[in-house]
Amino acid sequence: MSQIRGPAPAGPGPVRPGGVPAVLRAWGQALGAAAAGLLTMIVVAALGLWAAGATDLPGGAFPSVVAAAVVVAAGGSIGLTGDAGIIVQADAALDVVPLSVTLAGALVTAAVFLLPLRHRAVAGTAELLARIARTAVCWLVLLLLIALAARHSFRISVGNDLADELGAELGTTPTVGFRPDLGATLGFGLLWVLAVLALTFLVSRRAPLSSRLLHYQDSLRPPAFAMVLTLLVYVAIALVIAIIELITGDHPTDTLAVIFLGLPNLAWMALGIGTGGGWTGHVDKAIGLPLPHVLDRVLRTHEQGTLDLGSLAEQDGRVWWLPVVAAVVLLTAAFLAAVRSPARRPAWRHAVDLAVALALTLFVVGMLTRVYAHYGLSLIGIGDLGGNLGGQVTLQPQLLRLVGVGAAWGLVTGFLGSLLARGVRHRGEVRDDGPGHPPPGGRREFDDQV
């Protein structure tokens, strides 16, 4: 006798042989990418701040300072505050991105995100968007938890006996502290992680694309790869120089602080200056931001100094090596980009692509390397109390100049790189000249993503 059965009850979704539902596995992969990136940022920031002496801050502030550094490196915003009523007022501001922390987090996040996709050439649009959305959600939740820990206040002495006595009597001992702007942190943090993941798909050939986007990969991926390669090579060169300075120099802790906090800041400024770009700024007095001696001397010389090849060469003639390094690195990157492009792509297209890519890259470098740091105290709203209680560092990019020299260098190196790559087998090109094969000059190109 036949037996009629109803529909099977809905389960949790497809299950692998190991017994883990697909949806849980997908969320686990997203959480793994976000957690790995943020954990890397915490470690790098902690090492840099330890080298900078932040462990000596009073009140157990070190974990909060590390959390604040991670928030800023991930695109968030930290506000500095300080006040003690009308008797003494504290004024503080800090706008600087620790790009060593940012770069480490971005590289690890991208690498872990790509692990489940490394053996695939094509993926559906809906699947890719879902993976990105899950990773972004996990990233924001973890970033929020870190931001909640990024707050602290310090009590300080103004260095003036009268002000200290008045403050003690009135209960208005001046304080300075920091706390996150949660709205800006989550908003810019979301843009940060989306930009990292978008750049991952734009640069990496291991990242699968949807069939609709395969048409654009030949025009977008090679120049994007060239720019990322250029930035990473500059960081690698700067790391070698920093290690030599660490071994032979007199201030190893300052060098370590630069390595773990601001090495890309200096390396990418070297790229901009080497191509003819510039920054303007001024250093009032040391306020805990280590700078190379040549930069420090230029920024202290004038009220508003210009950092470019001319001003730096007046302090150190070795700066003239920067254009040479820029030429070698950019030409190599342009050559590799041409090799990764279809063989029949004309040289002028390579030149235009590299011009746009390098101009955009130097614009972003300029925006990321801006510095504004100020701290000061005033008594009854009048003047800075002097001593070591005030100081200012400013560094602003000359963006139009950076974009202009980037476009010019991109045109030249892109064109030359394409000419150098003409005799080299390109990606996706099959060329057989032996008997029984297509005649010389016959080429077949195919898309290695399919």
Side-chain angles (χ1 to χ4, degrees), residues 309-353:
L309 282 171
S311 63
L312 292 175
E314 293 177 359
Q315 304 294 331
D316 191 337
R318 292 175 297 179
V319 170
W320 289 112
W321 281 101
L322 290 180
V324 178
V325 174
V328 173
V329 174
L330 289 174
L331 185 58
T332 302
F335 167 78
L336 294 176
V339 170
R340 292 166 68 98
S341 300
R344 296 175 182 174
R345 195 171 185 83
W348 70 266
R349 286 291 303 274
H350 285 289
V352 172
D353 290 345

Short mmCIF file of all heavy atoms in Angstrom, two decimals, residues 309-353:
data_model
loop_
_atom_site.label_atom_id
_atom_site.label_comp_id
_atom_site.label_asym_id
_atom_site.label_seq_id
_atom_site.Cartn_x
_atom_site.Cartn_y
_atom_site.Cartn_z
N LEU A 309 61.78 68.13 -4.11
CA LEU A 309 63.16 67.74 -4.42
C LEU A 309 64.14 68.87 -4.13
O LEU A 309 65.22 68.63 -3.58
CB LEU A 309 63.25 67.33 -5.89
CG LEU A 309 62.75 65.93 -6.24
CD1 LEU A 309 62.71 65.74 -7.75
CD2 LEU A 309 63.61 64.87 -5.58
N GLY A 310 63.76 70.10 -4.47
CA GLY A 310 64.67 71.21 -4.28
C GLY A 310 64.98 71.49 -2.83
O GLY A 310 66.15 71.60 -2.43
N SER A 311 63.95 71.58 -1.99
CA SER A 311 64.18 71.91 -0.58
C SER A 311 64.89 70.78 0.16
O SER A 311 65.74 71.02 1.02
CB SER A 311 62.84 72.22 0.10
OG SER A 311 61.98 71.10 0.09
N LEU A 312 64.55 69.55 -0.16
CA LEU A 312 65.20 68.42 0.51
C LEU A 312 66.65 68.27 0.06
O LEU A 312 67.52 67.90 0.86
CB LEU A 312 64.43 67.13 0.24
CG LEU A 312 63.04 67.03 0.88
CD1 LEU A 312 62.34 65.76 0.44
CD2 LEU A 312 63.13 67.07 2.39
N ALA A 313 66.93 68.56 -1.23
CA ALA A 313 68.31 68.44 -1.73
C ALA A 313 69.23 69.46 -1.06
O ALA A 313 70.44 69.22 -0.95
CB ALA A 313 68.33 68.62 -3.24
N GLU A 314 68.68 70.58 -0.61
CA GLU A 314 69.51 71.54 0.11
C GLU A 314 70.01 70.98 1.44
O GLU A 314 71.05 71.41 1.94
CB GLU A 314 68.69 72.81 0.37
CG GLU A 314 68.35 73.59 -0.89
CD GLU A 314 67.48 74.79 -0.59
OE1 GLU A 314 67.14 74.99 0.61
OE2 GLU A 314 67.14 75.54 -1.52
N GLN A 315 69.27 70.03 1.99
CA GLN A 315 69.65 69.42 3.25
C GLN A 315 70.44 68.13 3.07
O GLN A 315 71.29 67.78 3.88
CB GLN A 315 68.40 69.12 4.10
CG GLN A 315 67.52 70.33 4.36
CD GLN A 315 68.20 71.36 5.23
OE1 GLN A 315 69.05 71.03 6.06
NE2 GLN A 315 67.83 72.63 5.05
N ASP A 316 70.15 67.39 1.98
CA ASP A 316 70.80 66.09 1.75
C ASP A 316 70.78 65.81 0.26
O ASP A 316 69.71 65.59 -0.33
CB ASP A 316 70.07 64.99 2.53
CG ASP A 316 70.85 63.68 2.56
OD1 ASP A 316 71.68 63.47 1.66
OD2 ASP A 316 70.62 62.87 3.48
N GLY A 317 71.97 65.80 -0.36
CA GLY A 317 72.06 65.59 -1.80
C GLY A 317 71.61 64.22 -2.26
O GLY A 317 71.30 64.02 -3.44
N ARG A 318 71.55 63.26 -1.35
CA ARG A 318 71.12 61.90 -1.74
C ARG A 318 69.66 61.86 -2.18
O ARG A 318 69.20 60.88 -2.78
CB ARG A 318 71.32 60.94 -0.56
CG ARG A 318 72.79 60.69 -0.22
CD ARG A 318 72.92 59.84 1.02
NE ARG A 318 72.37 60.51 2.20
CZ ARG A 318 72.35 59.98 3.42
NH1 ARG A 318 72.85 58.76 3.60
NH2 ARG A 318 71.85 60.63 4.44
N VAL A 319 68.93 62.94 -1.93
CA VAL A 319 67.52 62.99 -2.33
C VAL A 319 67.37 62.88 -3.84
O VAL A 319 66.33 62.44 -4.34
CB VAL A 319 66.89 64.30 -1.79
CG1 VAL A 319 65.51 64.54 -2.38
CG2 VAL A 319 66.80 64.26 -0.27
N TRP A 320 68.41 63.27 -4.59
CA TRP A 320 68.31 63.19 -6.05
C TRP A 320 68.23 61.76 -6.56
O TRP A 320 67.99 61.53 -7.76
CB TRP A 320 69.50 63.91 -6.70
CG TRP A 320 69.42 65.40 -6.53
CD1 TRP A 320 70.22 66.20 -5.78
CD2 TRP A 320 68.46 66.27 -7.14
NE1 TRP A 320 69.83 67.51 -5.87
CE2 TRP A 320 68.75 67.59 -6.71
CE3 TRP A 320 67.37 66.07 -8.00
CZ2 TRP A 320 68.00 68.69 -7.10
CZ3 TRP A 320 66.62 67.18 -8.40
CH2 TRP A 320 66.94 68.46 -7.96
N TRP A 321 68.44 60.79 -5.70
CA TRP A 321 68.21 59.40 -6.09
C TRP A 321 66.71 59.08 -6.20
O TRP A 321 66.33 58.09 -6.83
CB TRP A 321 68.86 58.44 -5.09
CG TRP A 321 70.33 58.29 -5.28
CD1 TRP A 321 71.34 58.88 -4.56
CD2 TRP A 321 70.98 57.48 -6.28
NE1 TRP A 321 72.57 58.50 -5.05
CE2 TRP A 321 72.38 57.64 -6.11
CE3 TRP A 321 70.52 56.67 -7.31
CZ2 TRP A 321 73.30 57.00 -6.92
CZ3 TRP A 321 71.44 56.02 -8.12
CH2 TRP A 321 72.81 56.19 -7.92
N LEU A 322 65.86 59.90 -5.59
CA LEU A 322 64.42 59.60 -5.61
C LEU A 322 63.84 59.57 -7.02
O LEU A 322 63.05 58.66 -7.33
CB LEU A 322 63.66 60.61 -4.74
CG LEU A 322 63.89 60.51 -3.23
CD1 LEU A 322 63.07 61.57 -2.50
CD2 LEU A 322 63.52 59.11 -2.72
N PRO A 323 64.18 60.51 -7.93
CA PRO A 323 63.66 60.38 -9.30
C PRO A 323 64.17 59.13 -10.02
O PRO A 323 63.45 58.54 -10.83
CB PRO A 323 64.17 61.66 -9.99
CG PRO A 323 64.44 62.62 -8.89
CD PRO A 323 64.89 61.79 -7.73
N VAL A 324 65.40 58.73 -9.71
CA VAL A 324 65.93 57.51 -10.33
C VAL A 324 65.13 56.29 -9.88
O VAL A 324 64.74 55.44 -10.68
CB VAL A 324 67.43 57.35 -9.98
CG1 VAL A 324 67.98 56.06 -10.57
CG2 VAL A 324 68.22 58.56 -10.47
N VAL A 325 64.90 56.21 -8.57
CA VAL A 325 64.11 55.09 -8.03
C VAL A 325 62.71 55.11 -8.62
O VAL A 325 62.16 54.07 -9.02
CB VAL A 325 64.07 55.16 -6.50
CG1 VAL A 325 63.13 54.08 -5.94
CG2 VAL A 325 65.46 55.00 -5.91
N ALA A 326 62.10 56.29 -8.71
CA ALA A 326 60.76 56.40 -9.28
C ALA A 326 60.73 55.92 -10.72
O ALA A 326 59.81 55.19 -11.13
CB ALA A 326 60.27 57.85 -9.19
N ALA A 327 61.74 56.29 -11.50
CA ALA A 327 61.78 55.87 -12.91
C ALA A 327 61.88 54.36 -13.03
O ALA A 327 61.16 53.73 -13.83
CB ALA A 327 62.95 56.55 -13.61
N VAL A 328 62.75 53.74 -12.24
CA VAL A 328 62.94 52.29 -12.31
C VAL A 328 61.68 51.55 -11.88
O VAL A 328 61.20 50.63 -12.55
CB VAL A 328 64.15 51.87 -11.46
CG1 VAL A 328 64.25 50.35 -11.39
CG2 VAL A 328 65.44 52.45 -12.03
N VAL A 329 61.11 51.96 -10.74
CA VAL A 329 59.94 51.25 -10.20
C VAL A 329 58.73 51.43 -11.12
O VAL A 329 58.03 50.46 -11.44
CB VAL A 329 59.63 51.74 -8.78
CG1 VAL A 329 58.33 51.13 -8.28
CG2 VAL A 329 60.77 51.39 -7.83
N LEU A 330 58.48 52.65 -11.56
CA LEU A 330 57.30 52.90 -12.39
C LEU A 330 57.43 52.26 -13.76
O LEU A 330 56.44 51.74 -14.31
CB LEU A 330 57.07 54.40 -12.52
CG LEU A 330 56.58 55.10 -11.25
CD1 LEU A 330 56.52 56.61 -11.46
CD2 LEU A 330 55.21 54.58 -10.83
N LEU A 331 58.62 52.27 -14.34
CA LEU A 331 58.80 51.63 -15.64
C LEU A 331 58.63 50.12 -15.53
O LEU A 331 58.03 49.48 -16.40
CB LEU A 331 60.17 51.99 -16.20
CG LEU A 331 60.46 51.49 -17.63
CD1 LEU A 331 59.43 52.04 -18.60
CD2 LEU A 331 61.86 51.91 -18.06
N THR A 332 59.16 49.54 -14.46
CA THR A 332 58.97 48.10 -14.24
C THR A 332 57.49 47.76 -14.06
O THR A 332 56.99 46.78 -14.63
CB THR A 332 59.76 47.64 -13.00
OG1 THR A 332 61.14 47.96 -13.18
CG2 THR A 332 59.61 46.16 -12.78
N ALA A 333 56.79 48.56 -13.26
CA ALA A 333 55.36 48.32 -13.05
C ALA A 333 54.58 48.47 -14.35
O ALA A 333 53.67 47.68 -14.65
CB ALA A 333 54.82 49.28 -12.00
N ALA A 334 54.93 49.47 -15.17
CA ALA A 334 54.25 49.65 -16.45
C ALA A 334 54.52 48.48 -17.40
O ALA A 334 53.62 48.03 -18.12
CB ALA A 334 54.72 50.97 -17.09
N PHE A 335 55.75 47.98 -17.40
CA PHE A 335 56.09 46.81 -18.22
C PHE A 335 55.26 45.59 -17.81
O PHE A 335 54.69 44.89 -18.65
CB PHE A 335 57.58 46.52 -18.09
CG PHE A 335 58.00 45.19 -18.64
CD1 PHE A 335 58.15 45.01 -20.00
CD2 PHE A 335 58.22 44.11 -17.79
CE1 PHE A 335 58.54 43.76 -20.52
CE2 PHE A 335 58.60 42.88 -18.29
CZ PHE A 335 58.76 42.70 -19.65
N LEU A 336 55.17 45.34 -16.50
CA LEU A 336 54.40 44.18 -16.03
C LEU A 336 52.92 44.35 -16.33
O LEU A 336 52.22 43.38 -16.64
CB LEU A 336 54.62 43.99 -14.53
CG LEU A 336 56.04 43.59 -14.12
CD1 LEU A 336 56.17 43.52 -12.61
CD2 LEU A 336 56.41 42.24 -14.74
N ALA A 337 52.43 45.59 -16.23
CA ALA A 337 51.03 45.83 -16.58
C ALA A 337 50.78 45.54 -18.05
O ALA A 337 49.74 44.96 -18.42
CB ALA A 337 50.66 47.27 -16.25
N ALA A 338 51.71 45.91 -18.91
CA ALA A 338 51.56 45.65 -20.34
C ALA A 338 51.60 44.16 -20.63
O ALA A 338 50.86 43.65 -21.48
CB ALA A 338 52.65 46.37 -21.12
N VAL A 339 52.46 43.42 -19.91
CA VAL A 339 52.54 41.97 -20.10
C VAL A 339 51.23 41.30 -19.68
O VAL A 339 50.80 40.30 -20.28
CB VAL A 339 53.73 41.40 -19.31
CG1 VAL A 339 53.70 39.87 -19.29
CG2 VAL A 339 55.04 41.89 -19.91
N ARG A 340 50.59 41.83 -18.66
CA ARG A 340 49.33 41.26 -18.18
C ARG A 340 48.13 41.69 -19.02
O ARG A 340 47.01 41.24 -18.78
CB ARG A 340 49.10 41.68 -16.72
CG ARG A 340 50.10 41.06 -15.75
CD ARG A 340 50.05 41.76 -14.41
NE ARG A 340 48.80 41.52 -13.68
CZ ARG A 340 48.66 40.62 -12.72
NH1 ARG A 340 49.69 39.85 -12.37
NH2 ARG A 340 47.52 40.47 -12.10
N SER A 341 48.34 42.57 -19.98
CA SER A 341 47.27 43.04 -20.84
C SER A 341 47.24 42.26 -22.14
O SER A 341 48.21 41.58 -22.48
CB SER A 341 47.46 44.54 -21.15
OG SER A 341 47.47 45.31 -19.97
N PRO A 342 46.14 42.32 -22.89
CA PRO A 342 46.10 41.65 -24.20
C PRO A 342 47.20 42.17 -25.12
O PRO A 342 47.55 43.35 -25.10
CB PRO A 342 44.71 42.01 -24.73
CG PRO A 342 43.90 42.30 -23.52
CD PRO A 342 44.84 42.92 -22.54
N ALA A 343 47.75 41.28 -25.95
CA ALA A 343 48.90 41.64 -26.77
C ALA A 343 48.59 42.73 -27.78
O ALA A 343 49.48 43.49 -28.17
CB ALA A 343 49.40 40.38 -27.49
N ARG A 344 47.35 42.82 -28.24
CA ARG A 344 47.03 43.79 -29.29
C ARG A 344 46.59 45.14 -28.74
O ARG A 344 46.16 46.00 -29.51
CB ARG A 344 45.92 43.21 -30.17
CG ARG A 344 46.35 41.96 -30.91
CD ARG A 344 45.22 41.34 -31.68
NE ARG A 344 45.65 40.11 -32.35
CZ ARG A 344 44.82 39.30 -33.01
NH1 ARG A 344 43.54 39.60 -33.09
NH2 ARG A 344 45.29 38.21 -33.59
N ARG A 345 46.73 45.36 -27.46
CA ARG A 345 46.35 46.64 -26.89
C ARG A 345 47.39 47.69 -27.30
O ARG A 345 48.59 47.52 -27.06
CB ARG A 345 46.26 46.55 -25.37
CG ARG A 345 45.54 47.71 -24.71
CD ARG A 345 45.30 47.41 -23.24
NE ARG A 345 44.53 48.43 -22.60
CZ ARG A 345 43.21 48.51 -22.62
NH1 ARG A 345 42.53 47.62 -23.33
NH2 ARG A 345 42.57 49.48 -21.99
N PRO A 346 47.00 48.80 -27.91
CA PRO A 346 47.98 49.77 -28.42
C PRO A 346 48.73 50.47 -27.29
O PRO A 346 48.25 50.60 -26.16
CB PRO A 346 47.12 50.76 -29.21
CG PRO A 346 45.74 50.61 -28.66
CD PRO A 346 45.61 49.18 -28.24
N ALA A 347 49.91 50.96 -27.63
CA ALA A 347 50.77 51.59 -26.63
C ALA A 347 50.13 52.85 -26.05
O ALA A 347 50.29 53.15 -24.86
CB ALA A 347 52.13 51.92 -27.25
N TRP A 348 49.40 53.61 -26.86
CA TRP A 348 48.80 54.84 -26.34
C TRP A 348 47.73 54.54 -25.30
O TRP A 348 47.52 55.33 -24.36
CB TRP A 348 48.24 55.68 -27.48
CG TRP A 348 47.02 55.10 -28.16
CD1 TRP A 348 46.99 54.32 -29.26
CD2 TRP A 348 45.65 55.29 -27.76
NE1 TRP A 348 45.70 53.98 -29.59
CE2 TRP A 348 44.86 54.58 -28.69
CE3 TRP A 348 45.03 55.98 -26.73
CZ2 TRP A 348 43.47 54.54 -28.60
CZ3 TRP A 348 43.64 55.95 -26.64
CH2 TRP A 348 42.88 55.24 -27.57
N ARG A 349 47.06 53.38 -25.43
CA ARG A 349 46.08 53.00 -24.41
C ARG A 349 46.75 52.69 -23.08
O ARG A 349 46.27 53.06 -22.01
CB ARG A 349 45.27 51.80 -24.89
CG ARG A 349 44.26 52.11 -25.98
CD ARG A 349 43.11 52.97 -25.44
NE ARG A 349 42.43 52.32 -24.33
CZ ARG A 349 41.44 51.44 -24.46
NH1 ARG A 349 41.03 51.09 -25.68
NH2 ARG A 349 40.86 50.92 -23.41
N HIS A 350 47.90 52.00 -23.14
CA HIS A 350 48.66 51.75 -21.92
C HIS A 350 49.08 53.08 -21.29
O HIS A 350 49.01 53.24 -20.07
CB HIS A 350 49.90 50.92 -22.24
CG HIS A 350 49.62 49.47 -22.49
ND1 HIS A 350 49.25 48.60 -21.49
CD2 HIS A 350 49.66 48.75 -23.63
CE1 HIS A 350 49.07 47.40 -22.01
NE2 HIS A 350 49.31 47.47 -23.31
N ALA A 351 49.53 54.00 -22.11
CA ALA A 351 49.98 55.29 -21.58
C ALA A 351 48.85 56.03 -20.89
O ALA A 351 49.02 56.56 -19.78
CB ALA A 351 50.56 56.14 -22.73
N VAL A 352 47.68 56.06 -21.51
CA VAL A 352 46.54 56.75 -20.91
C VAL A 352 46.10 56.04 -19.62
O VAL A 352 45.81 56.70 -18.61
CB VAL A 352 45.37 56.83 -21.92
CG1 VAL A 352 44.11 57.36 -21.25
CG2 VAL A 352 45.76 57.72 -23.09
N ASP A 353 46.04 54.71 -19.66
CA ASP A 353 45.64 53.96 -18.47
C ASP A 353 46.57 54.23 -17.30
O ASP A 353 46.13 54.46 -16.17
CB ASP A 353 45.62 52.46 -18.78
CG ASP A 353 44.50 52.07 -19.73
OD1 ASP A 353 43.58 52.89 -19.92
OD2 ASP A 353 44.55 50.96 -20.28
#
